Amino acid sequence: MSYANDMPPSTDTALAASLRVAVARLARRLRRERTDVDLSVSQLSALGTLDRHGPLTPGELAAHEKVQPPSMTRTVGQLEARGLVARTPHPTDRRQALVAITSAGAGLLREDRRRREEWLARRLRELPEDELAVLRAAAVVLDKLGRA
Amino acid sequence: MSYANDMPPSTDTALAASLRVAVARLARRLRRERTDVDLSVSQLSALGTLDRHGPLTPGELAAHEKVQPPSMTRTVGQLEARGLVARTPHPTDRRQALVAITSAGAGLLREDRRRREEWLARRLRELPEDELAVLRAAAVVLDKLGRA
DNA sequence: TATTGTTATACTCTATAACTATA
DNA sequence: TATAGTTATAGAGTATAACAATA
């Protein structure tokens, strides 16, 4: 069975099938362009969460990442050892700590995004204008679907 | 910095940025709809490869999945124990074996795809016709990008 | 006494090295 | 002698249980 896709799909079910495959494949292709930085998936994900949400306690970060606190102890320790995050004392509760991304950590994420977007931008420059117009309109709809 | 996205992007770089985020988010959302079947990522991936490519030797399968042969020995053993794949003797070389997906394994994958496509089809039914038209056209272009 | 975070320990997944069977 | 696959063993990553510090 092949998912090749040369004609626009005609029904909602067919559209769902072809869209699912196309989105999954492009997402996989984009991941391949990741900076080959020596960080595990968990480390990269935790770093991204700190970048988006700002400083969090280890417990909050563990909840966000859906891992148990001891796992996050380890992950934060590794990121801290590489200077990508820093701990500061919690202002009111001395049991807790606040973990924040450092400028080195933020720079690493920025570079990683830049690389993948650069790859995609190069591919876009190879497309005819009518296909770009389709993608410009689709970006808005796909974004809405992803938030559903 | 926010990636919210209410207006169509105007430049190629901006389109690359918003498209990357939208595609990654929708792919993540679709993964959440996976059947909660008790298979590891490696097991599911190997099963999918056998489904797409037909019977393979353990060595070929390991190469496809970019893991070392001993890891695939383990993965195939687990899938075999659950009746999702079966080994048959290689027709000409008694050192090798051929691993094939069983009907139970193929059914499991079919059900998993069905669930995710059903979720997406439901979301599509909530969209106005002009947005569906955009997605129908976009599915073709996204598919092409993913193959780049 | 309850909560936050860490340390101790076990399990899963993957890897490299050593081994067995067949070519 | 070379190749396909497995078994033995070790290194990450995550989990649960037990512990220390603070509220």
Side-chain angles (χ1 to χ4, degrees):
Chain A
M1 148 166 40
S2 164
Y3 293 106
N5 210 359
D6 298 325
M7 298 285 291
S10 51
T11 69
D12 268 21
T13 305
L15 175 56
S18 63
L19 198 57
R20 178 185 71 76
V21 173
V23 164
R25 180 179 291 135
L26 182 52
R28 213 178 310 126
R29 186 65 188 77
L30 280 164
R31 274 197 299 277
R32 259 177 49 196
E33 295 298 318
R34 266 203 188 296
T35 315
D36 190 16
V37 68
D38 186 25
L39 286 183
S40 72
V41 174
S42 320
Q43 290 166 15
L44 208 50
S45 176
L47 200 57
T49 295
L50 288 174
D51 192 44
R52 281 188 301 276
H53 288 75
L56 295 171
T57 67
E60 290 168 338
L61 189 51
H64 256 289
E65 297 294 303
K66 301 200 205 315
V67 299
Q68 293 303 308
S71 305
M72 193 48 73
T73 294
R74 184 190 173 86
T75 300
V76 168
Q78 291 161 329
L79 291 173
E80 193 178 24
R82 301 187 49 165
L84 304 176
V85 306
R87 265 178 243 250
T88 57
H90 193 283
T92 62
D93 185 341
R94 282 193 299 163
R95 289 174 307 182
Q96 303 186 49
L98 278 175
V99 183
I101 194 168
T102 62
S103 60
L108 185 149
L109 290 184
R110 205 161 40 235
E111 168 62 13
D112 184 47
R113 282 194 295 265
R114 193 193 61 71
R115 267 181 66 116
R116 282 174 288 149
E117 281 168 16
E118 199 169 73
W119 176 86
L120 184 53
R122 272 198 301 275
R123 297 292 81 73
L124 294 179
R125 269 179 240 120
E126 298 163 358
L127 295 182
E129 179 53 39
D130 63 321
E131 294 189 340
L132 288 176
V134 163
L135 291 181
R136 275 191 278 271
V140 180
V141 185
L142 292 173
D143 192 73
K144 184 160 74 173
L145 283 174
R147 295 170 185 275
Chain B
M1 143 165 49
S2 164
Y3 292 105
N5 210 359
D6 299 326
M7 298 286 291
S10 51
T11 70
D12 268 22
T13 306
L15 175 56
S18 62
L19 199 57
R20 178 185 70 77
V21 172
V23 164
R25 179 179 291 133
L26 181 53
R28 214 178 309 127
R29 186 65 188 78
L30 279 165
R31 273 197 300 276
R32 260 177 49 196
E33 295 298 318
R34 266 202 188 295
T35 315
D36 189 14
V37 66
D38 187 25
L39 287 182
S40 73
V41 173
S42 320
Q43 290 167 16
L44 208 51
S45 176
L47 200 59
T49 295
L50 288 174
D51 193 44
R52 281 188 300 276
H53 288 74
L56 295 171
T57 67
E60 290 168 338
L61 189 50
H64 257 288
E65 298 293 302
K66 301 199 204 317
V67 299
Q68 293 304 308
S71 304
M72 193 48 73
T73 294
R74 182 190 174 87
T75 299
V76 168
Q78 291 161 329
L79 290 172
E80 194 178 25
R82 300 187 49 165
L84 303 176
V85 307
R87 263 177 244 252
T88 56
H90 192 284
T92 61
D93 186 340
R94 282 192 300 163
R95 291 173 305 179
Q96 302 186 48
L98 277 175
V99 183
I101 194 168
T102 61
S103 59
L108 185 148
L109 291 183
R110 204 161 41 235
E111 168 64 13
D112 184 46
R113 281 193 296 266
R114 193 193 60 72
R115 267 182 64 116
R116 281 175 289 148
E117 280 168 15
E118 200 169 73
W119 176 87
L120 185 53
R122 272 199 301 275
R123 297 292 82 71
L124 294 179
R125 270 179 239 119
E126 300 163 356
L127 295 182
E129 180 51 41
D130 62 322
E131 294 189 339
L132 288 176
V134 163
L135 291 181
R136 275 190 280 270
V140 180
V141 184
L142 293 173
D143 192 73
K144 184 160 73 172
L145 283 174
R147 294 170 185 277

